Amino acid sequence: MLSDERRDMILDILRESSVPIKGTELSRKAGVSRQIIVQDIALLRAKGLNIFATPQGYLLIKDEANKMSKVIACNHDRDGMRKELEIIVDNGGKVIDVIVEHSLYGEIKAMLMLTSRLDIKNFMKHYENSDTKPLSVLTGGVHLHTIEVADEISYSHIIKELDKFGYLINNM
């Protein structure tokens, strides 16, 4: 398979999927190494395609005209991470990313793409079984999330619940 054909195949797979696809799965389907897939994804991104690398795999972001994107500022300790994420998804939100402001590097953003309790369970399992720390340790727990919601009502429920648990810093 030629490289252009392989990238077209990867793009077709990502377009057809509503869930992230692991790089290892793409490499298996294309018959190439994981590193070749990483390079192909980089080239597809350079063409302007909105492909995110999430902990669950690669995801092509499709235009969703009926969705609203909001940024919320939160602060909690290690124990609050799961509850914060559950509040967002339980109230109809999708956690797009986590962002911290670093004194040397400026804004640091990591894509999360969490849409369900199962996503959160898998994310937390990975976190708990590794020796990594969340980005928010760089800022004493302060961080931003970009969330996607269907409407203002869902957003209001999320804000109310986060505030109730003391996780919300302010409404942005």
Side-chain angles (χ1 to χ4, degrees):
M1 179 182 309
L2 297 174
S3 57
D4 286 340
E5 292 172 343
R6 185 180 60 247
R7 284 188 283 278
D8 287 344
M9 183 194 77
I10 291 168
L11 188 55
D12 287 343
I13 292 169
L14 293 175
R15 278 187 178 130
E16 291 174 14
S17 179
S18 60
V19 297
I21 305 292
K22 294 271 187 201
T24 52
E25 183 178 340
L26 291 172
S27 68
R28 184 182 51 75
K29 288 182 179 185
V32 297
S33 71
R34 170 83 171 81
Q35 187 56 38
I36 296 295
I37 296 299
V38 170
Q39 292 170 7
D40 285 344
I41 295 291
L43 291 170
L44 290 169
R45 285 178 174 159
K47 289 183 176 181
L49 292 165
N50 208 5
I51 300 172
F52 288 116
T54 74
Q56 298 86 19
Y58 293 108
L59 182 66
L60 176 66
I61 303 300
K62 302 158 187 105
D63 290 332
E64 296 187 28
N66 296 332
K67 300 285 182 174
M68 296 172 28
S69 182
K70 300 278 192 173
V71 176
I72 55 174
C74 297
N75 187 1
H76 55 74
D77 59 13
R78 180 188 188 282
D79 296 332
M81 185 166 34
R82 178 187 301 267
K83 183 65 177 170
E84 171 206 48
L85 297 171
E86 288 174 348
I87 287 169
I88 295 168
V89 301
D90 288 351
N91 286 282
K94 177 179 182 179
V95 184
I96 305 296
D97 58 30
V98 60
I99 306 163
V100 297
E101 186 69 31
H102 191 273
S103 60
L104 178 61
Y105 298 112
E107 183 178 280
I108 300 174
K109 180 189 291 191
M111 302 311 294
L112 296 177
M113 298 304 193
L114 304 173
T115 60
S116 68
R117 281 205 176 223
L118 179 60
D119 288 347
I120 294 167
K121 177 183 173 188
N122 292 333
F123 176 75
M124 294 302 297
K125 183 178 177 182
H126 180 70
Y127 167 61
E128 291 161 357
N129 292 332
S130 68
D131 61 354
T132 59
K133 305 268 188 260
L135 283 178
S136 59
V137 301
L138 298 172
T139 56
V142 175
H143 59 285
L144 304 174
H145 283 297
T146 306
I147 62 170
E148 190 176 88
V149 292
D151 51 42
E152 283 289 339
I153 294 169
S154 297
Y155 177 67
S156 295
H157 287 288
I158 291 168
I159 294 303
K160 180 180 174 184
E161 285 296 302
L162 289 173
D163 194 40
K164 181 170 103 177
F165 282 88
Y167 299 152
L168 193 65
I169 294 175
N170 64 15
N171 188 352
M172 299 183 86

